[in-house]
Every structure is written in C-alpha cells, then in structure tokens.
Amino acid sequence: MSTVIRAKNVSKQYRLGKVGTGTLSHDLNRWWHRIRGKEDPYLKIGETNDRTAKGGSEYVWALRDINFDIGQGTATGIIGRNGAGKSTLLKILSRTTAPTTGSVKIRGRVASLLEVGTGFHPELSGRENTYLNGAILGMTRKEIARKFDEIVDFAGVERYIDTPVKRYSSGMYVRLAFAVAAHLESEILVVDEVLAVGDAEFQKKCLGKMGDVTRNGGRTVIYVSHNMESIRELCTSAILLKNGMLVDSGSAGDIVSTYLKTEAKFSTLYDSNNWLASSLPHLTRQAEIISIRNKAEHEVFKVSDQLPFDITIGGKSEYPGTVSRISLRVTNNMGAHVLTTHTIVSYSLLKGETRVIPMTLMIPELISGEYWCTVWIGEGDLGNYKCDHFSVEEVLHFAVINDQTHRWFPNWGNFNPKILAEDESSNIGRRAWDTTE
Amino acid sequence: MDQDIEEHWDLIILPKNRLLDLPLRELWRYRDLMLLFVKRDFTAQYKQTILGPLWHFINPIFTTITYTIIFGNIAQLSTDGTPRLIFYMCGITLWNFYSNTTTSTGSTFTQNAAIFGKVYFPRLIAPLATVISLMIDLSVHIVTLTGFVIYFKSQGYLENMQWINLIYLPPIVLLTAGFGLGTGTIISALTTKYRDLTVFTSLGINLLMFATPVIYPFSSIRGPYRVYLEWNPISPLIECYRFIFTGTGTFSAASLAYSTGMMCLLLFAGLLLFNRVEKTFMDTV
C-alpha cells in the first residue's frame, strides 16, 4: 500500500479578534523582519488552541506540528472535540487555505466536499448547475456529460432538470448537489459532515455510495464527522486531534473508543476551576452552584444505566433565603438541546448555607454519542416560572454507547425509544424494526 | 524499493506560493470551468427579463444619448469634428469596458469568498471569466457602434474612416482588458485584508474618466494639462479606438508603445500580488 498523502509538521496559526489597526503594525513588523532575513516574530508566540481557557496571546495555533501518512484506498476519519482543529486540517487538505508552516504532499487528484452544491446559482436550471458545480469540483465538461444521466437518476430529479433550482424544494436541491459530488472521479476525496442533510432514504443511498468509493474504487477518503457511528461504519482508520495536536491514530474502532473513553472525558469533579458560570443578566445570583461531582467515576454509559452525582449548592441571600429547584438540560456535542428535566422538590437555603444534594440521572434511550449538561437552579415549578439564580454550562459530561443505534443519521434525532407493534405479542419489548438486521 | 514512488508527488501544499509560480497548466485544465462561469454570468443576467439580451444594445445607446445632450448640446464640448453620437459612443463603450473590468475583477475575492472558501480551483479562473464576459458585452456594443457608423457614413459623414482600420480593434481591446485585469487584480489583492482601497476604487475610477479623453478629444486639451493627459496610458487607447471608428484621433506609435509597456508592467504586478494572497486570503477576507 503506497502513501498518497503525507503531512509533515503542518501548523496553522490564526490571529484572534478582528482585523483592524493592530494588524497593520504586526504586518509591518513581520515585513521588516523578512526583508532583514529574520524569522517571523509572531511564529514564536501563540498558544495551543484550548478555547475554554482564557489566554493572553492574540495568536493561537489551530494546528500544531501535525504529521501523518495516509495510504491508498483507506478511509480515514478525523475525530476531535469542537475546536480541535478538524476543519482547519480539512481546509488545508482541500487547499482553501494554506498552512502557516509545514507541507502536505499528495499523489493524485483531490476533490473536496466541504459543502454540497458549492456555486449553485439559483437562476440556472438543474442541468446548468450540474455542469457548473461539476466543473467547480474539478470535473471536465466531457466527464460530466458522460455521467449526466447517472447523476440525474441518482438524484431523482429528472422531471425538474430544466427548471431553475430556486424552484426546487430544499430536499431536491441537496439531492442534486450531492449526486454531482458523489460522481466525482478523483483519487482522493475530502469530506466534511455533508451527510447531515437530505432525507433518510437519500442518505442511505449516499452512505452506500461513499462506502463504494473506498471499497471498490481504490479511492482514498478523508472524513470528518461528529457522528462516531458513521466514522466507525465508514472508516478503516482514524486520527484523533486535541487542541490542534495529533494525539492518537490507528484503526477507526480503537480510536473512536479511545475518544469516547479518554479524550471526551473531561472530569469527575466540576467547579469554578473548570467550568464557565453563565453570565446571563437575568440570573439573580442569590444562590449558587458550588460543585458537581460525578460519583460513577467513569463517563461511558449504556441506556438505562444510572449516573449518580452530587450537586453542592450554596445560599447567598439573607432571611428568608432562597428556594432552589435544580434543573438539568442535556445537549449533544453539536450543541443541540436534547432534553430538559427538573427536580420536583425545592431546597431552601440561607446565606452562607451549603448543601450537598445526591442525585441520579437515569440514562434515557439516547443514541450513541457524547453529551453535556447545563445545570441551573431557580425558583418556581413547571407551569410557574419565577426566576433563575445561577447556571453553569457544559458540565457533567457523559458518553452513551447504544448498540441499537448502529447506522444512525444525524437528522434522525437523538432518541431511539422502544416502539411496540400491537399484533406481534411475541415481540413485545423489542423494536418493531430491527436496525441491526 | 519504494524509493522511486516516494519521490514523485503530484501536489505539494506549502505555506506560500513561489513568487513567479503561475499555474498555467492548471488554468488550462480548468478551462471548462472558466467557460461555464462566463455562461452563468451571461444567462443569469437576463433571466426573467422580457427583452433579454436586447438590454445589451439599449444600455450604451441610452448612455450615449444622455452624454450627447449634456456634454455635446448643453456644454458644447468639442468632438474633433465627428458626429457627437459616434464620438461619445466610442468613448463610453471602451471606457465602460475598462472600468467594469477593473471594478469587477477588483472584488474577485470578496465576491467569491463563499465558493473560494469551500473548493479549490485556480483562483485566477474567476477574474479571467469576468474579463471574458465583459469582452462579450463589449463586442455586442461594438456591433451596435458599427451599425451607427455605417448609417453616418452613408449620410456623408466620417469621410476619413477606413474599414481596414478595424484590424487594429482586437489589439486595442486586449490592451484595455490587460489594463483592467492588471488594476483589478492589484486591487483585489490589496483589499482582502484592508478594505480601505475598495472605497477609493470606485471614486478613483470615476475621477480617472475625466483625466482620460472620454467626453472630450485629446486634441482639445492645450497647455500644462496636456502633459498629464500624455502620462495617462489609457488615453492613447481611447484615441486609437476612436480613430478606428471615426478616422480622427491623436496618438502616435510611441504613445501606443508606452501604453503597451505600462499594461505589461501593471498586469505582471497584478498577477504577482494575486498569486501571493490567493493561498491565505480566506483567513483574512
């Protein structure tokens, strides 16, 4: 197996904040160093890209000294938390931006799909846009003409092919756009999470098509996704990024579980040292959350497991004190709200009083993935909101491994609850359809 | 054993382009894309209009009529003894071609940021496609202009006009296109990070028109101002273009050579700058 992509010491530096007057002086300084044959003074500074920590420098390294080889015909997944540098790496591989230092050597034609339908013009017909988009992605007119019928067939938009795409439904638009992309003939394909679009039937078709791409075409695929299941499904190997650095690489299955077990693991004790207390103006701050401790001592759970944790709250207001109800919102690692739940009882606290409240979260039938909780305390009950006192975001991290959610698509949602089919008494308790086949 | 293969790479991504590394082979490979961009510009422009491409003819005619009334009839500016309609139409068509080329290629990066940020293709394709689109527009205008010239000639005007001179038209158009592309690419390269120049561009182009013999003939300028006009490398082009259609114009071989030299210099500088910024403009645009 020969190497088709070799990245050597690839780094990318970004300047934070806005481009303004400060930039000009830095540019002049940089230029002054260059004409004297000296090194760029701003390459020496800069910090690793940990977005949660507050840094002093204006420069951050989105990627730092990345080295890897990718063999022909493999499918490599790039994994990491938001801000780990995945997209920056894709941008460099697809040549939409250049690295600050280092080099990437590539053998073969690269096509990148950071988005589907790039360059689609609303006024042009489906046919015209197919040609235009194909050409933007690097196909020649002859190639597109040869594949045209196949593309239209794959997208299922034959009747509308001479209608301007602005009249298309959003589903049709995406189907056509993806169909063009799926018929690219490059040796290397760089794909961002574009599968998060389209209806389920079409996604299945695309996923099949992507599988084809590596298995039969001898083609090399690099794929970024937040969806661990699709990485495990599609990729043969994976690269794990953390704060812009490559921390692990290996087989896709291994790296995904490493990621879920270690990298995704944040802490078992959350307090002001590692959380961001919300600064929303409506918070009264008459009571506060002091710490949250995960008592399970691990963070990977199965459906209906119990996640026990202690939450310590303290009062900050004089007699008669505050009344606090504890609320929990679970978000997935794309930031989408998955569920919200409240305690039924409230706890009253005087100034200076602290209280440790043991709680347990029953893991609901969530799909495999990573989740974060936002915890807040406030007054009132469900139908009778009064005020919020205090809130912390992105604490109490946990990951769910759900064997039933194999081949799950992002737009199917986050839950996979049981559904009962009435006449099949023998099947009660099982899903009416079996996703594992 | 693998050594031979190891050494051959199709593509090496580095932090910066080499200074004089024009991707000519790549541009050729993407020629279909360039033509499709041209086609897109053309079709998208007149979608959902009744008159469609007819607007190509209407636009210069109306501008010419306005100029004829304002600068000719009201301000009584000299037109070198040629019919006012033809005189102004010559100036307007070529000047508009230049100014449109400059302003639209000047906003290449900002206009195409959405596409450039997602897909790689040689960035130069975009301004080249723009120039070709505008050349098509210009050729339509030239056809209109020629129609008027035929009419005026049949009425006994424009005695000095020789049809054979039309062979000079392509080089003049190419020179003007080169100027537009040169200034445009310089502007586009300089405005990705600092936008100040964009504001200046439209103002500058508008003012430059008055320093170019568009609404007046070169011959009507006497005294100290004439020197400045001679420094303007676009002046000989406009005068020569006008000479092709009317048989009158003030230019010399030397002035045309000066224009050509300036054009090459400008275009070279433009491509150089463009080449420098195209790799990382996405970080600053």
Side-chain angles (χ1 to χ4, degrees):
Chain A
M1 190 174 67
S2 63
T3 306
V4 287
I5 300 177
R6 171 166 294 165
K8 240 185 173 167
N9 299 325
V10 173
S11 299
K12 178 79 188 174
Q13 190 184 52
Y14 281 112
R15 187 175 186 276
L16 296 179
K18 49 184 175 189
V19 175
T21 43
T23 346
L24 185 59
S25 62
H26 283 197
D27 280 355
L28 290 175
N29 193 7
R30 197 175 269 142
W31 173 78
W32 175 235
H33 275 75
R34 204 176 54 234
I35 55 168
R36 290 179 303 163
K38 289 194 177 170
E39 208 194 328
D40 185 339
Y42 298 105
L43 286 185
K44 291 179 208 147
I45 59 171
E47 300 175 335
T48 52
N49 186 19
D50 184 352
R51 75 201 154 94
T52 50
K54 242 196 171 132
S57 172
E58 281 176 277
Y59 291 91
V60 291
W61 292 97
L63 286 177
R64 190 100 212 222
D65 292 329
I66 303 283
N67 289 288
F68 59 84
D69 277 7
I70 289 176
Q72 192 191 355
T74 57
T76 306
I78 301 177
I79 308 175
R81 285 183 55 192
N82 284 332
K86 303 185 297 284
S87 305
T88 309
L89 186 57
L90 277 201
K91 276 187 194 162
I92 290 172
L93 289 175
S94 57
R95 290 208 277 166
T96 55
T97 189
T100 310
T101 64
S103 68
V104 184
K105 293 174 178 172
I106 292 173
R107 201 171 284 147
R109 237 166 96 180
V110 186
S112 58
L113 280 178
L114 303 196
E115 156 189 279
V116 290
T118 309
F120 263 38
H121 194 291
E123 295 289 351
L124 299 183
S125 70
R127 184 186 304 275
E128 291 165 318
N129 270 315
T130 301
Y131 277 91
L132 183 63
N133 185 233
I136 287 176
L137 292 172
M139 287 196 262
T140 63
R141 202 143 41 153
K142 240 160 101 190
E143 276 176 339
I144 308 166
R146 201 174 65 230
K147 298 207 156 183
F148 188 77
D149 291 339
E150 215 182 311
I151 291 173
V152 175
D153 196 46
F154 185 82
V157 293
E158 209 177 339
R159 274 188 68 186
Y160 295 87
I161 199 65
D162 289 311
T163 308
V165 294
K166 67 175 178 183
R167 308 255 176 264
Y168 280 30
S169 72
S170 51
M172 273 160 54
Y173 185 95
V174 166
R175 293 158 84 95
L176 182 62
F178 200 96
V180 181
H183 288 83
L184 280 172
E185 270 188 340
S186 64
E187 287 88 18
I188 300 168
L189 192 63
V190 177
V191 192
D192 201 356
E193 218 160 12
V194 284
L195 281 176
V197 290
D199 55 43
E201 173 220 9
F202 185 68
Q203 281 183 349
K204 252 187 193 154
K205 251 164 119 183
C206 294
L207 214 56
K209 194 83 194 161
M210 287 225 0
D212 275 3
V213 164
T214 47
R215 274 172 220 134
N216 308 328
R219 194 193 275 184
T220 313
V221 175
I222 297 176
Y223 179 57
V224 160
S225 177
H226 281 96
N227 184 338
M228 292 301 136
E229 289 303 326
S230 70
I231 297 252
R232 196 142 59 177
E233 169 75 9
L234 290 169
C235 299
T236 47
S237 55
I239 287 172
L240 178 57
L241 296 180
K242 183 186 184 181
N243 295 336
M245 284 179 280
L246 194 155
V247 290
D248 204 358
S249 62
S251 85
D254 288 351
I255 298 296
V256 165
S257 35
T258 312
Y259 172 69
L260 287 179
K261 287 194 179 118
T262 65
E263 167 62 16
K265 176 172 175 153
F266 202 61
S267 175
T268 51
L269 177 68
Y270 300 87
D271 56 23
S272 55
N273 291 319
N274 59 5
W275 74 34
L276 282 168
S278 169
S279 57
L280 288 170
H282 77 278
L283 298 171
T284 66
R285 298 185 174 270
Q286 287 170 357
E288 61 177 353
I289 303 171
I290 296 165
S291 68
I292 297 169
R293 179 188 291 278
N294 173 353
K295 286 194 293 189
E297 297 293 328
H298 69 92
E299 298 189 308
V300 184
F301 298 91
K302 287 198 162 63
V303 169
S304 73
D305 278 357
Q306 298 190 345
L307 164 51
F309 61 98
D310 281 342
I311 172 164
T312 309
I313 53 175
K316 292 185 101 178
S317 127
E318 304 289 343
Y319 181 85
T322 52
V323 176
S324 295
R325 172 181 55 107
I326 295 159
S327 309
L328 198 84
R329 174 180 296 141
V330 177
T331 53
N332 66 14
N333 67 344
M334 304 280 285
H337 296 177
V338 172
L339 64 91
T340 300
T341 178
H342 309 274
T343 55
I344 298 163
V345 286
S346 291
Y347 306 88
S348 57
L349 289 169
L350 286 172
K351 186 177 181 180
E353 190 184 352
T354 58
R355 202 155 158 178
V356 180
I357 300 158
M359 304 183 77
T360 303
L361 176 67
M362 308 285 288
I363 302 294
E365 289 170 302
L366 290 167
I367 60 157
S368 295
E370 273 185 83
Y371 299 91
W372 295 88
C373 300
T374 292
V375 182
W376 75 99
I377 51 179
E379 234 172 289
D381 46 50
L382 276 182
N384 184 20
Y385 167 87
K386 273 190 185 148
C387 62
D388 289 335
H389 297 313
F390 195 87
S391 139
V392 283
E393 284 166 21
E394 292 209 341
V395 291
L396 202 60
H397 171 265
F398 61 93
V400 173
I401 291 182
N402 182 347
D403 296 333
Q404 298 296 325
T405 57
H406 196 50
R407 287 177 194 254
W408 195 263
F409 294 101
N411 72 343
W412 287 2
N414 292 284
F415 279 101
N416 183 30
K418 290 184 175 71
I419 183 166
L420 303 179
E422 240 177 57
D423 290 333
E424 294 172 49
S425 50
S426 59
N427 272 347
I428 284 178
R430 286 190 59 196
R431 282 156 182 79
W433 68 88
D434 191 348
T435 48
T436 55
E437 282 154 45
Chain B
M1 169 204 127
D2 234 14
Q3 208 54 32
D4 276 341
I5 305 175
E6 288 299 330
E7 290 315 309
H8 168 75
W9 299 96
D10 296 316
L11 170 71
I12 299 180
I13 301 173
L14 292 169
K16 282 193 172 100
N17 281 338
R18 257 155 295 177
L19 208 56
L20 283 173
D21 204 8
L22 277 183
L24 291 178
R25 280 242 309 272
E26 229 183 1
L27 282 175
W28 179 247
R29 195 162 76 68
Y30 276 89
R31 62 193 184 278
D32 283 342
L33 177 61
M34 185 155 68
L35 295 179
L36 284 164
F37 272 148
V38 173
K39 209 178 140 197
R40 175 197 66 183
D41 289 348
F42 196 79
T43 26
Q45 205 174 357
Y46 296 108
K47 278 270 157 103
Q48 287 200 7
T49 58
I50 296 168
L51 295 180
L54 263 185
W55 283 108
H56 271 293
F57 297 93
I58 295 168
N59 202 331
I61 292 175
F62 273 79
T63 324
T64 305
I65 291 171
T66 315
Y67 276 35
T68 310
I69 292 170
I70 293 175
F71 298 118
N73 295 356
I74 298 175
Q76 299 278 339
L77 291 179
S78 150
T79 59
D80 246 0
T82 52
R84 282 178 179 149
L85 199 73
I86 301 287
F87 181 88
Y88 290 118
M89 199 179 249
C90 284
I92 288 164
T93 49
L94 195 68
W95 178 260
N96 279 356
F97 174 62
Y98 168 72
S99 77
N100 287 341
T101 314
T102 307
T103 43
S104 18
T105 55
S107 56
T108 299
F109 287 120
T110 33
Q111 286 292 310
N112 293 298
I115 299 182
F116 284 3
K118 296 294 178 190
V119 183
Y120 174 82
F121 51 86
R123 299 331 193 188
L124 213 48
I125 289 284
L128 285 176
T130 311
V131 172
I132 293 176
S133 305
L134 290 168
M135 272 185 176
I136 294 172
D137 282 3
L138 177 67
S139 51
V140 173
H141 295 166
I142 285 175
V143 169
T144 323
L145 178 59
T146 313
F148 280 100
V149 170
I150 291 171
Y151 170 77
F152 275 95
K153 233 174 143 50
S154 70
Q155 300 295 308
Y157 298 98
L158 301 172
E159 293 143 359
N160 298 331
M161 192 267 170
Q162 309 276 318
W163 289 111
I164 183 78
N165 286 337
L166 279 177
I167 58 162
Y168 298 118
L169 200 54
I172 293 295
V173 170
L174 285 179
L175 278 173
T176 318
F179 266 114
L181 186 62
T183 9
T185 43
I186 290 176
I187 292 166
S188 72
L190 295 182
T191 48
T192 52
K193 201 163 190 181
Y194 304 107
R195 299 278 170 84
D196 309 53
L197 207 61
T198 5
V199 187
F200 180 73
T201 312
S202 52
L203 177 70
I205 295 272
N206 279 337
L207 295 181
L208 189 63
M209 187 182 95
F210 294 102
T212 312
V214 175
I215 51 166
Y216 54 84
F218 193 94
S219 62
S220 70
I221 304 298
R222 306 254 166 250
Y225 295 116
R226 197 178 168 95
V227 183
Y228 295 112
L229 211 56
E230 272 168 354
W231 276 102
N232 181 351
I234 304 165
S235 301
L237 298 180
I238 299 259
E239 284 290 320
C240 185
Y241 180 83
R242 200 175 268 141
F243 170 78
I244 292 168
F245 288 104
T246 64
T248 4
T250 318
F251 62 97
S252 62
S255 65
L256 279 178
Y258 166 70
S259 289
T260 314
M262 286 298 280
M263 189 281 277
C264 292
L265 209 69
L266 215 62
L267 193 57
F268 182 72
L271 296 182
L272 216 74
L273 278 171
F274 193 89
N275 206 23
R276 269 198 79 80
V277 297
E278 71 164 10
K279 275 204 146 177
T280 51
F281 91 97
M282 268 321 291
D283 305 336
T284 49
V285 75

